[in-house]
Amino acid sequence: MDNVPADLKDVDVLVNNAGFVLGVERVGNIADSDIEAMFQTNVFGLISVTQHFIKSFRARNTGHIINIGSVAGREPYVGGSIYCATKHAVSAFTGSLLREVVDSQIRVSEIQPGMVETNFSVTRYRGDKSAADNVYEGLEPLVAEDIAEEIVWTASRPPHVNIAQLYVLPVNQASATLNHRAPKV
């Protein structure tokens, strides 16, 4: 925060939006560098940024921390053990933080999206666009704008209202592993 200009230091809303995943390897075949990269980005980065801003929020007795979790933080799935672990960590951290600031006017929220078509799957499949496209084939996934809208809605509730958790799925998704795809014609 020392390098942040004075007129930008009084942040009202912090959105921690990290959803970094590499590969679909199963436990025993996951590269240590992939494990470290996912935890550094999705967990340690989120905690570090929150540590900086919570001090200002506490001093002003106001602020809103919105962490972007995932369906993967609710339900693990095959080939996602490390990503799921990081998103479970985000959910646990968010829940603990909510309880730690209950004596204040600081709001803490977690938005947990299901399938969102971004560059997420391209990264997961290490640049293989065809494999990434198959993830969403036959259904209409959420898009980044859908989640942005939920972030704005969550942040714009009256000061006495806290959306602690918001689970957002496309219509044809019921869980991390259960979805309906239109038959190929």
Side-chain angles (χ1 to χ4, degrees), residues 6 52 57 73 142:
H52 286 289
F57 289 178
L142 301 170

Side-chain angles (χ1 to χ4, degrees), residues 54-77:
I54 194 70
K55 294 171 188 170
S56 170
F57 289 178
R58 276 270 189 210
R60 294 182 292 127
N61 194 36
T62 190
H64 194 166
I65 298 166
I66 301 174
N67 292 331
I68 306 303
S70 171
V71 63
R74 298 172 70 96
E75 177 188 354
Y77 54 85

Side-chain angles (χ1 to χ4, degrees), residues 78-89:
V78 173
S81 58
I82 303 306
Y83 180 70
C84 291
T86 68
K87 288 305 183 172
H88 273 80

Side-chain angles (χ1 to χ4, degrees), residues 88-159:
H88 273 80
V90 167
S91 188
F93 177 78
T94 305
S96 292
L97 180 59
L98 175 66
R99 287 153 180 82
E100 290 178 7
V101 300
V102 73
D103 63 340
S104 74
Q105 295 301 304
I106 300 168
R107 298 187 292 169
V108 177
S109 304
E110 181 184 9
I111 299 175
Q112 300 174 322
M115 296 173 119
V116 182
E117 189 169 12
T118 62
N119 65 344
F120 177 87
S121 288
V122 175
T123 302
R124 164 169 264 164
Y125 289 102
R126 304 176 194 279
D128 184 341
K129 179 89 167 84
S130 177
D133 289 345
N134 286 338
V135 171
Y136 310 109
E137 187 176 346
L139 58 81
E140 183 178 357
L142 301 170
V143 294
E145 290 79 6
D146 296 323
I147 304 311
E149 189 174 290
E150 300 308 326
I151 292 167
V152 170
W153 180 81
T154 298
S156 63
R157 298 304 83 213

